[in-house]
């Protein structure tokens, strides 16, 4: 049994067989064969081995002839690995002694090779991991040939294990039989994590090198509530987790009872819960979970399409559909938050050195005014279908806000000249995602209609921690006293200026922070739809006066540890039995 620790993306327990997804999307099925088939499996391996060496030697000769000796060196190294007797003995041994299928034996042994290189301190040797992966894929291609399967054709529920998933792969998970995900890469607020959260099944990411430890067919438990992945558990552990899986499913079903109840505190203060969405169809799903509208529509997900930038009409249809889905309730459309980890890097000629501090978000839109105007036209066209508000991300200065607002007004005038109806009094707001915006909140309040705290980025920029980098994820701390004080100050300034203030970062959907957020005065929280029932349950158990006391005490602590221990204790007092 092996235990891996990572970062949870959505709570729950899933138990199943692993499918390890390679960069080339190989599935390596776990299979042992009957004793009589062992010679045949051995032959499959030996044939693949021979074919791989021949193929590499041909490639190497070609390279040597055209590009010289150095270019061919790496392939000579591949041949060297394949001819390594201990490697061959190991693979053949697994087939002969354990009756492993050839593909499974290759995958298991090559993964242990990769691990060995991973542990080396010499960076040149670490680079060799990719070469080992290359060799593995080549052998598997010869063994599996045309029998490759993709995730769309799984015959039973599985746990997906991979180094990383692209947003496109993640967005497709709901059409598969994947019931849980474990990834080497990723951090809590990365885009893949956000998509996994809206997918709603258990997932743990930022696990380091789990994909090299597991092979297809291994039994895997995803315990995302405790941020754990357990591989090949003992019978006792498996039993225990089967019970937890059941308890969690009972708990989730019980939460459905809350979806039609109002979100009011025990002392009758109403709290507005909104949903964060990435796709238009989710606006309706949010309402079904009890949301009173969409608090954040992340429109940059329209770029997931392989064809690239969406046209004005395509955008209009998406914004209109999201608006119609909430039947007259408010929809806050955030303009493109492109850049950093979201789409533009892969497409740019030269990648930025510090993309999180680079040409991203509103900066990117203001630098690409034509694209920005197309989006604003589409938002304005959709504004007549309901209560649409527009929100600019990563606003860092008043000048940026004014320029964005001016562009919106330009688009409005153009549309009116063309005789197209728009809502002239559309509300315009900003996300507070940087310390600069938080510090100047009073000045912003004179010019904006509303403010939304984007704590995912606010934490990143306050603590100087890249939110997408798993190597520094332990420094990305929502309970840092500096973060909490900034939230308190922004909410307070907005109250004094009588400007609507909400929160749409992940903290809004984390029960740990609910009392604190209510206690500092927030009355509007926007979160992944899946989190709404649980947060509502908590709200209905608390009084505002108690939440205020909790917030005051929280703000008195010097360290994040004290904060999270205290908040956890307070939460447990209200929800002693919930498996969250
Ligand atoms: C945030 O930064 O808190 C936020 C909600 O926006 P995103 O996660 O899309 O950057
Ligand atoms: Mg953000």
């Amino acid at each position: 049994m092996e235990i891996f620790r990572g970062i949870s993306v959505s709570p729950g327990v899933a138990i199943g067989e692993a499918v390890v997804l390679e960069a080339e999307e190989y599935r390596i099925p776990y299979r042992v064969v009957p004793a009589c088939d062992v010679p045949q499996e051995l032959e499959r391996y030996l044939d693949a081995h021979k074919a791989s060496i021949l193929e590499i030697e041909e490639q190497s000769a070609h390279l040597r002839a055209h590009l010289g000796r150095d270019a061919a060196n790496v392939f000579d190294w591949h041949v060297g690995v394949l001819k390594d007797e201990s490697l061959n003995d190991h693979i053949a041994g697994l087939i002969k002694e354990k009756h492993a299928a050839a593909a499974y034996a290759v995958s298991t042994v090559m993964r242990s090779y990769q691990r060995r290189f991973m542990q080396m301190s010499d960076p040149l040797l670490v680079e060799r991991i990719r070469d080992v992966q290359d060799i593995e894929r080549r052998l598997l291609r010869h063994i599996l040939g045309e029998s490759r399967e993709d995730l769309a054709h799984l015959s039973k529920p599985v746990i997906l294990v991979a180094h990383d998933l692209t947003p496109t792969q993640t967005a497709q998970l709901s059409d598969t039989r994947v019931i849980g995900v474990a990834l080497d890469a990723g951090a809590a607020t990365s885009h893949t994590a956000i998509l996994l959260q809206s997918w709603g099944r258990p997932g743990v990411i930022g696990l380091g090198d789990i994909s090299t430890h597991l092979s297809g067919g291994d039994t895997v438990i995803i315990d995302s509530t405790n941020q754990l992945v357990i591989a090949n558990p003992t019978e006792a552990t498996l039993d225990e987790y089967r019970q937890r899986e059941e308890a969690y499913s009972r708990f989730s079903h019980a939460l459905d009872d809350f979806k039609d109840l109002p979100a009011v505190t025990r002392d009758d203060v109403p709290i507005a819960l909104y949903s964060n969405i990435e796709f238009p169809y989710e606006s309706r799903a949010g309402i079904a979970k009890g949301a009173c509208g969409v608090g954040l529509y992340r429109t940059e997900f329209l770029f997931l399409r392989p064809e690239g930038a969406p046209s004005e009409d395509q955008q209009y249809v998406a914004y209109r559909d999201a608006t119609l889905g909430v039947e007259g309730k408010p929809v806050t459309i955030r303009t493109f938050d492109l850049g950093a980890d979201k789409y533009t890097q892969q497409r740019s000629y030269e990648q930025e050195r510090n993309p999180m501090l680079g040409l991203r978000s509103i900066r990117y839109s203001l630098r690409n005014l034509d694209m920005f105007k197309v989006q604003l036209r589409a938002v304005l066209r959709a504004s007549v279908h309901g209560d649409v508000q527009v929100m600019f991300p990563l606003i860092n200065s008043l000048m940026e806000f004014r320029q964005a607002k001016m562009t919106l007004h330009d688009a409005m005038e153009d549309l009116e000249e063309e005789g197209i109806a728009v809502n002239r009094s559309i509300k315009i707001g900003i996300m507070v995602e940087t310390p600069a915006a938080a510090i100047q909140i009073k000045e912003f309040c004179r010019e904006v209609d509303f403010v939304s705290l984007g704590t995912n980025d606010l934490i990143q920029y306050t603590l100087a921690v890249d939110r997408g980098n798993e190597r520094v994820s332990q420094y990305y701390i929502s309970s840092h006293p500096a973060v909490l004080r900034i939230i308190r100050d922004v909410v307070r300034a907005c109250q004094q200026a009588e400007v609507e203030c909400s929160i749409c970062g992940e903290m809004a959907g984390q029960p740990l922070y609910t009392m604190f957020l209510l206690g500092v005065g927030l009355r509007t929280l926007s979160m992944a739809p899946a989190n709404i029932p649980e947060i509502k349950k908590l709200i209905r158990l608390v009084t505002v006066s108690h939440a205020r006391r909790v917030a005051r005490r929280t703000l008195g602590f010097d360290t994040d540890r004290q904060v999270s221990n205290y908040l956890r204790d307070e939460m447990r007092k209200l929800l002693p039995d919930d498996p969250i």
Side-chain angles (χ1 to χ4, degrees):
M1 178 162 111
E2 273 186 288
I3 298 179
F4 304 85
R5 273 169 212 286
I7 303 158
S8 155
V9 281
S10 51
V13 173
I15 304 172
E17 275 189 18
V19 160
V20 182
L21 190 71
E22 296 294 314
E24 286 185 356
E25 298 190 16
Y26 267 115
R27 281 217 306 125
I28 299 115
Y30 168 71
R31 216 160 48 87
V32 284
V33 295
C36 58
D37 289 345
V38 165
Q40 193 187 325
E41 281 308 297
L42 197 58
E43 204 178 306
R44 286 180 83 184
Y45 166 61
L46 293 174
D47 287 350
H49 181 256
K50 206 153 95 193
S52 298
I53 291 180
L54 267 178
E55 201 175 72
I56 299 173
E57 282 177 343
E58 270 172 26
Q59 278 172 346
S60 171
H62 179 80
L63 278 181
R64 194 170 293 119
H66 290 88
L67 297 171
R69 202 173 160 58
D70 284 351
N73 272 350
V74 65
F75 283 114
D76 294 342
W77 192 83
H78 285 205
V79 172
V81 171
L82 280 168
K83 288 190 172 166
D84 177 357
E85 269 182 29
S86 73
L87 175 106
N88 281 304
D89 289 349
H90 201 160
I91 295 175
L94 270 182
I95 300 173
K96 283 194 267 190
E97 284 144 37
K98 303 260 168 110
H99 298 187
Y104 179 69
V106 164
S107 151
T108 305
V109 173
M110 296 310 286
R111 266 145 212 279
S112 76
Y113 252 60
Q114 285 171 36
R115 263 199 307 283
R116 247 190 275 160
F117 281 107
M118 235 172 231
Q119 281 151 5
M120 292 178 182
S121 50
D122 182 341
L124 281 176
L125 288 176
V126 173
E127 274 299 301
R128 289 293 190 202
I129 294 168
R130 278 187 221 292
D131 291 309
V132 180
Q133 286 169 343
D134 219 30
I135 299 168
E136 179 189 354
R137 279 188 206 122
R138 192 186 294 274
L139 283 168
L140 287 173
R141 179 160 45 80
H142 284 293
I143 293 170
L144 298 172
E146 292 307 307
S147 69
R148 278 196 277 167
E149 289 177 78
D150 63 30
L151 290 176
H153 299 104
L154 293 165
S155 56
K156 59 179 173 196
V158 297
I159 303 283
L160 179 63
V161 181
H163 175 68
D164 201 359
L165 292 177
T166 62
T168 313
Q169 287 170 320
T170 316
Q172 285 159 354
L173 285 177
S174 44
D175 297 329
T176 69
R177 303 192 68 188
V178 175
I179 53 167
V181 165
L183 300 183
D184 294 345
T189 56
S190 64
H191 240 194
T192 296
I194 286 166
L195 281 170
L196 284 172
Q197 208 177 40
S198 68
W199 174 57
R201 289 181 178 270
V204 181
I205 60 173
L207 287 155
D209 60 354
I210 191 166
S211 70
T212 64
H213 282 259
L214 300 192
S215 298
D218 285 348
T219 301
V220 176
I221 297 172
I222 307 266
D223 171 4
S224 49
T225 307
N226 291 304
Q227 328 217 60
L228 297 180
V229 174
I230 303 172
N232 297 315
T234 58
E235 265 314 306
T237 308
L238 201 53
D239 281 350
E240 181 196 327
Y241 270 97
R242 285 203 181 107
Q243 283 168 28
R244 285 204 208 179
E245 192 183 21
E246 238 180 80
Y248 196 83
S249 135
R250 271 199 309 275
F251 165 71
S252 312
H253 284 115
L255 279 181
D256 282 345
D257 297 345
F258 286 85
K259 76 177 190 320
D260 298 323
L261 295 175
V264 286
T265 59
R266 256 178 56 210
D267 46 355
D268 287 329
V269 177
I271 308 297
L273 301 183
Y274 284 82
S275 58
N276 291 352
I277 65 166
E278 285 78 44
F279 303 102
Y281 67 83
E282 289 177 299
S283 72
R284 197 177 294 279
I287 300 295
K289 284 275 178 197
C292 30
V294 171
L296 168 67
Y297 175 8
R298 291 182 163 104
T299 56
E300 58 281 358
F301 279 78
L302 287 161
F303 276 75
L304 269 181
R305 307 152 351 107
E307 313 89 275
S311 69
E312 180 181 319
D313 280 345
Q314 285 164 334
Q315 291 187 54
Y316 162 70
V317 169
Y319 306 151
R320 182 201 61 196
D321 289 354
T323 307
L324 294 176
V326 296
E327 294 160 8
K329 298 186 172 77
V331 175
T332 303
I333 301 180
R334 175 177 76 182
T335 61
F336 294 140
D337 193 16
L338 293 163
D341 58 337
K342 299 175 187 168
Y343 312 116
T344 56
Q345 289 295 310
Q346 305 92 303
R347 290 175 191 178
S348 68
Y349 174 63
E350 197 176 344
Q351 298 203 346
E352 288 177 293
R353 219 172 302 152
N354 270 317
M356 284 296 184
L357 303 179
L359 189 63
R360 65 164 295 209
S361 207
I362 195 68
R363 299 172 190 170
Y364 188 89
S365 293
L366 292 174
R367 188 71 71 82
N368 293 279
L369 274 179
D370 289 343
M371 176 203 79
F372 192 32
K373 243 181 165 174
V374 166
Q375 176 172 41
L376 295 172
R377 283 174 61 94
V379 172
L380 287 166
R381 281 170 60 192
S383 69
V384 294
H385 295 293
D387 185 359
V388 173
Q389 317 192 359
V390 64
M391 177 161 77
F392 300 125
L394 206 77
I395 291 287
N396 211 26
S397 73
L398 280 157
M399 291 309 288
E400 269 170 351
F401 174 68
R402 288 174 190 160
Q403 204 188 339
K405 190 170 165 179
M406 217 159 63
T407 315
L408 180 80
H409 282 130
D410 281 352
M412 209 180 262
E413 274 169 29
D414 290 350
L415 286 167
E416 283 181 334
E417 270 171 30
E418 292 164 36
I420 299 172
V422 301
N423 172 12
R424 277 218 130 256
S425 48
I426 187 170
K427 282 193 185 164
I428 307 169
I430 58 163
M431 294 188 73
V432 170
E433 304 190 273
T434 68
I439 290 166
Q440 273 204 297
I441 190 67
K442 271 194 197 146
E443 288 86 340
F444 277 111
C445 279
R446 289 190 210 117
E447 304 194 19
V448 303
D449 294 322
F450 66 93
V451 160
S452 188
L453 278 156
T455 45
N456 302 341
D457 276 313
L458 187 58
I459 296 166
Q460 146 163 279
Y461 295 121
T462 302
L463 304 181
V465 181
D466 180 342
R467 66 190 256 193
N469 180 348
E470 65 273 15
R471 291 195 208 182
V472 289
S473 58
Q474 76 268 35
Y475 302 109
Y476 184 93
I477 304 166
S478 316
S479 56
H480 194 298
V483 171
L484 303 183
R485 279 180 218 170
I486 291 181
I487 294 175
R488 189 249 342 247
D489 292 347
V490 171
V491 177
R492 196 181 272 173
C494 289
Q495 278 171 342
Q496 280 165 2
E498 294 182 10
V499 167
E500 227 179 282
C501 180
S502 63
I503 173 171
C504 62
E506 299 311 305
M507 280 174 91
Q510 293 167 349
L512 191 68
Y513 297 104
T514 308
M515 275 185 268
F516 171 78
L517 298 175
L518 300 187
V520 294
L522 278 160
R523 297 291 176 264
T524 306
L525 316 179
S526 191
M527 63 200 73
N531 296 334
I532 291 176
E534 191 177 1
I535 299 295
K536 195 189 279 184
K537 178 175 177 183
L538 197 49
I539 286 170
R540 292 176 60 86
L541 290 168
V542 78
T543 61
V544 163
S545 50
H546 179 63
R548 282 202 188 111
R549 275 196 301 279
V550 169
R552 215 171 302 128
R553 181 98 196 269
T554 307
L555 287 160
F557 291 122
D558 298 335
T559 68
D560 58 88
R561 277 275 165 85
Q562 289 168 305
V563 168
S564 39
N565 287 341
Y566 170 68
L567 290 179
R568 193 163 299 117
D569 288 348
E570 286 299 316
M571 184 183 73
R572 282 269 160 250
K573 283 184 204 160
L574 290 178
L575 302 170
D577 303 321
D578 285 4
I580 45 176

